[in-house]
Amino acid sequence: MRTQRQVVDYSLRKRAVLRELLAGRVGTYDVCDASPYLKNAARFHGEPTDERCPICRSENLTHVHYIYGDELRQSAGQARTLAELPVLAMTVREFQVFVVEVCLGCDWNHLVEQYLLGRDGLAGSPEGGPDQGVMGGTSAPGSGANGRRRREAQR
Ligand SMILES: [Zn+2]
């Protein structure tokens, strides 16, 4: 998404949790604790991935996108489908997105990343207009050049 900025990647933290689990310092009941709300959000607003659950390895992970920000008013804290985010990004100046991965099989869940979206992100681009940059020329700072930028490729 072209207004995506201030990306924070939580994959290191996730790996640390999985290490703790392998070492037996935490139990699966500690990390597989998705709430009914989170699971519902995953079912109704979630984005299926082709990534296997690291715990049960029988289900694929679902990504849930939560949005936060003063401008969102009563929508703040709600889950949105990935398709809804670019539309929202054109109408709101700035809001925070938290991406959570959930396994509907074993209830594993972990924060994947967070980032900002919104029209304010367009101001900094040299050519200005909202209709450029579809090819991803304005990539988010700090984002690794790995396959995890799948969402942008889908546009
Ligand atoms: Zn699982």
Side-chain angles (χ1 to χ4, degrees):
M1 244 163 286
R2 61 182 178 272
T3 69
Q4 189 183 45
R5 55 204 185 269
Q6 294 185 31
V7 182
V8 182
D9 187 335
Y10 289 99
S11 54
L12 283 179
R13 192 178 293 185
K14 172 180 158 182
R15 248 174 281 166
V17 169
L18 294 176
R19 255 199 318 271
E20 293 286 290
L21 193 66
L22 271 176
R25 285 190 286 269
V26 296
T28 49
Y29 52 86
D30 289 318
V31 294
C32 298
D33 58 353
S35 72
Y37 299 106
L38 179 55
K39 284 160 68 179
N40 268 337
R43 280 192 197 96
F44 296 111
H45 308 286
E47 195 68 26
T49 73
D50 49 17
E51 195 184 340
R52 281 279 161 179
C53 171
I55 309 298
C56 68
R57 299 196 181 278
S58 65
E59 300 269 342
N60 283 358
L61 297 171
T62 303
H63 283 178
V64 183
H65 298 77
Y66 284 104
I67 54 170
Y68 291 89
D70 293 340
E71 290 173 81
L72 301 171
R73 296 193 177 85
Q74 70 271 25
S75 301
Q78 293 182 356
R80 282 289 183 271
T81 64
L82 193 55
E84 287 174 292
L85 295 181
V87 181
L88 202 58
M90 287 300 113
T91 55
V92 176
R93 279 188 21 240
E94 184 172 291
F95 62 99
Q96 187 84 46
V97 180
F98 288 87
V99 186
V100 179
E101 66 178 34
V102 190
C103 172
L104 291 172
C106 70
D107 293 358
W108 155 259
N109 62 104
H110 199 273
L111 189 58
V112 175
E113 62 178 356
Q114 69 178 74
Y115 49 83
L116 283 179
L117 286 183
R119 282 189 286 119
D120 271 6
L122 298 172
S125 61
E127 275 101 324
D131 286 316
Q132 57 90 35
V134 178
M135 296 309 287
T138 55
S139 65
S143 63
N146 55 27
R148 307 220 32 233
R149 300 267 67 84
R150 191 177 56 82
R151 279 178 297 283
E152 300 205 347
Q154 283 178 343
R155 283 188 51 88

